[in-house]
Amino acid sequence: MIGVFDSGVGGLSVVKEILKNISNRQIIYFGDTARLPYGTKGVDFVKKYSEKITQWLLDRGVKIIIIACHTSSALSGDYLKKQFQNVPIFDMITPTAEKISAFGFGRIGIIGTPGTIKSKAWENHLLKLNPRLEIYSLACPLLVPLVEQGWVDKKATKEIVKEYLSCFKDKKIEGLVLACTHYPMLEKVIKKVVGKKVKIINPAEILAKEVGKFLKENLEADYLPSSAKVTDGFQGNGYQIFFSDEPYNFKKISRMCFNKKIKPTILDPF
Ligand code: DGL
């Protein structure tokens, strides 16, 4: 079983990618809607709840943890890896940073929550791999509520995206990292605004491929026995979704990610 967590609903965009890359999977998802957003919280808060959620998922029998939240990855990724050394933990930054360095980009832009951008976690990872990379990062806090409202293709949304991204105009960035779980849902608008020359990088796609590869190379059977049946509570193709409080506008978000309605369980273990 794979444990996936986020501050709320955004991590479902990561689950969507994981499902494309992993067969015979059982995923337990936890969205911490009772304490959302993480993007404007302090480091200690995010670390504390990320650790509690990780432990809760492990107690339910998961063997792999995916931190499907950029803010948690940036603020608590290294900490969780130290606290749970025997557990494979995937974060949103590491696989993408490696890819960016392999692509050989010279200049890139990064957009994320205030917490992610302030932490400089992307800069720390990327500059270790390529000290000459020019990185321009920007917090775009208004984009999260727009996605949660379902306003992914409204004129007003395009204007806001335009306003935010105008700061990259003269930077000649070659790639733009969507370093927040919600932003892939705005990919179309973002693409239109930045133009064809800028490669849009969705870390969820890169992470999901990495997890798929890891499972194949590391005795998939240990993590996902081929005899595994979709057990009680796992919906259709094997996921169980928990939220610590009622998720806002969930119908819309679940349609955006899964093309169907899904029924979550509301449970706050903390
Ligand atoms: N899931 C968060 C992230 O990817 C965005 C929402 C929040 O601020 O909690 O950073």
Side-chain angles (χ1 to χ4, degrees):
M1 276 195 292
I2 301 173
V4 181
F5 78 87
D6 176 39
S7 56
V9 293
L12 294 176
S13 68
V14 182
V15 173
K16 175 183 161 189
E17 296 303 328
I18 295 170
L19 292 174
K20 286 186 198 161
N21 286 275
I22 300 165
S23 56
N24 194 17
R25 62 268 161 178
Q26 286 184 332
I27 293 174
I28 301 186
Y29 180 92
F30 186 89
D32 197 10
T33 35
R35 280 155 285 268
L36 153 126
Y38 280 9
T40 48
K41 299 282 191 317
V43 179
D44 290 346
F45 181 94
V46 174
K47 268 186 178 169
K48 178 174 155 185
Y49 285 100
S50 299
E51 185 174 6
K52 279 179 188 284
I53 297 166
T54 302
Q55 189 58 59
W56 182 82
L57 287 166
L58 292 170
D59 291 346
R60 296 188 86 86
V62 310
K63 296 283 189 271
I64 299 173
I65 296 286
I66 297 175
I67 312 172
C69 172
H70 283 270
T71 309
S72 175
S73 297
L75 272 53
S76 71
D78 291 344
Y79 172 73
L80 292 182
K81 286 177 190 176
K82 269 197 203 117
Q83 296 300 102
F84 302 95
Q85 287 183 15
N86 299 325
V87 182
I89 297 184
F90 289 84
D91 66 83
M92 298 302 298
I93 303 173
T94 312
T96 299
E98 281 160 13
K99 260 270 150 41
I100 288 174
S101 138
F103 281 156
F105 285 124
R107 284 190 202 87
I108 58 150
I110 294 169
I111 52 174
T113 64
T116 297
I117 299 304
K118 197 171 146 208
S119 74
K120 300 247 179 249
W122 278 93
E123 281 85 345
N124 293 340
H125 274 77
L126 287 165
L127 293 174
K128 248 187 232 158
L129 299 165
N130 176 8
R132 282 183 312 191
L133 182 66
E134 285 179 38
I135 306 167
Y136 302 95
S137 50
L138 179 75
C140 305
L142 292 177
L143 301 188
V144 168
L146 285 172
V147 170
E148 293 192 352
Q149 192 61 46
W151 283 24
V152 292
D153 44 19
K154 293 257 185 201
K155 220 170 130 197
T157 305
K158 193 174 173 193
E159 285 309 310
I160 292 170
V161 169
K162 236 188 195 166
E163 181 74 33
Y164 272 137
L165 303 187
S166 61
C167 70
F168 294 122
K169 242 186 183 156
D170 56 350
K171 302 290 188 290
K172 298 201 173 97
I173 55 168
E174 297 147 286
L176 179 67
V177 183
L178 308 184
C180 172
T181 49
H182 290 58
Y183 300 174
M185 291 177 240
L186 294 171
E187 191 169 339
K188 259 194 202 156
V189 180
I190 293 173
K191 244 186 194 155
K192 258 191 205 149
V193 171
V194 294
K196 281 187 200 137
K197 283 191 190 146
V198 179
K199 185 172 170 55
I200 303 294
I201 302 163
N202 176 3
E205 287 173 6
I206 299 168
L207 167 97
K209 284 194 183 120
E210 194 68 20
V211 173
K213 208 170 114 208
F214 173 85
L215 289 171
K216 281 210 181 82
E217 286 171 5
N218 292 274
L219 302 173
E220 184 156 352
D222 276 2
Y223 294 103
L224 303 164
S226 58
S227 60
K229 292 250 160 29
V230 171
T231 51
D232 284 350
F234 284 89
Q235 315 200 9
N237 39 4
Y239 44 83
Q240 233 180 348
I241 311 274
F242 292 89
F243 289 111
S244 47
D245 199 356
E246 207 63 58
Y248 172 66
N249 221 356
F250 186 63
K251 248 196 216 163
K252 238 182 199 144
I253 303 285
S254 64
R255 276 222 192 86
M256 274 193 254
C257 293
F258 301 108
N259 242 338
K260 65 176 180 183
K261 260 209 263 179
I262 46 178
K263 207 176 167 307
T265 305
I266 309 299
L267 172 87
D268 188 356
F270 316 119

